[in-house]
Amino acid sequence: MAENDATFVLVTGSGATSFLWNPVVREIVLGGHRALPVELPGHGFDTVFPAGYGTPQDLELFAGSPSPLAGLTLDDYHHRPRGILSRIHPSGTSAAQRWGKSAGHKSR
């Protein structure tokens, strides 16, 4: 692939893993491009559930447990994909297409 070929960076929202993008990745790659699914901090395979959430559920414990996402900020969500983009295109070029999906909506 040429250095200026687009890389599609596919960001998964809450409630899903990067596997959500498998059919899209297949089509992008078959079209001769690169694709990289990305999960935001605390989501996807990094999801941590608070105490009391599991089976059997302990609603009292669950209600008093801090959110595993409480320490994350919008900056954390911004820096994960930006860090990956900078590793894909260290020269700062914008040859990456960014796509996101959450709750049935897509953003571009």
Side-chain angles (χ1 to χ4, degrees):
M1 285 184 210
E3 187 174 318
N4 61 354
D5 283 348
T7 299
F8 290 80
V9 178
L10 309 165
V11 181
T12 302
S14 64
T17 68
S18 55
F19 287 171
L20 167 81
W21 290 110
N22 282 354
V24 177
V25 168
R26 180 185 60 240
E27 296 303 317
I28 290 171
V29 171
L30 288 172
H33 303 286
R34 294 174 293 198
L36 179 63
V38 175
E39 294 173 348
L40 295 175
H43 296 283
F45 291 109
D46 290 340
T47 299
V48 175
F49 296 100
Y53 179 83
T55 304
Q57 242 179 12
D58 182 333
L59 296 180
E60 189 172 325
L61 179 60
F62 179 60
S65 295
S67 168
L69 303 178
L72 297 172
T73 67
L74 290 177
D75 284 340
D76 296 315
Y77 295 127
H78 170 78
H79 290 300
R80 170 78 53 92
R82 291 297 294 172
I84 290 170
L85 286 171
S86 69
R87 290 170 57 199
I88 293 170
H89 296 286
S91 63
T93 62
S94 59
Q97 298 292 321
R98 298 168 298 276
W99 286 80
K101 179 162 181 50
S102 181
H105 303 287
K106 73 175 181 179
S107 63
R108 181 175 175 206

